[in-house]
Amino acid sequence: MNAPTGYFGHGTAAERWARARLFFDAKEYATAARILDTLAAEAPEQLAPRLLLARAYYHSAQLSRAEGELRAILERWPVEDYAQLMLGRTLERQGRPAEAAPYLRLAAAMAGEFPE
């Protein structure tokens, strides 16, 4: 995208959240991540911006950043099943299936999916 980027950080938190969602929905994941990075830093106690940031990192192939954000999320919210699943998928995508397995099993168990 060749548009000016100066306006990404302008506006209220709600306006920046809406802007980030628009970019995410338009599959402009790297741009969404730039907006969400500052938004998540301003309100680290809010899960939604941090989870969307991790998703934006994942979809823009910034896998080490996605992993770091997901680990931080799980440190604060260990019962967040979607973060468990995303961390497992992120580790798989990095070629680390053995590390991914426990997170994927836990996410499945939290979703009520038990192996027979």
Side-chain angles (χ1 to χ4, degrees), residues 39-112:
L39 194 58
E42 289 173 17
E45 71 284 355
Q46 292 187 6
L47 176 61
R50 296 188 73 182
L51 201 50
L52 191 60
L53 175 59
R55 291 177 63 200
Y57 283 150
Y58 178 87
H59 288 299
S60 62
Q62 298 179 61
L63 300 178
S64 61
R65 287 182 176 177
E67 179 184 350
E69 190 61 35
L70 289 163
R71 288 187 186 280
I73 288 169
L74 289 173
E75 187 173 307
R76 188 169 193 144
W77 296 281
V79 296
E80 178 54 48
D81 60 329
Y82 188 66
Q84 297 280 352
L85 176 65
M86 278 195 63
L87 181 55
R89 296 285 183 236
T90 300
L91 293 169
E92 278 184 333
R93 195 168 166 196
Q94 292 176 333
R96 297 157 56 192
E99 289 179 64
Y103 295 101
L104 296 174
R105 278 194 306 272
L106 185 55
M110 293 171 107

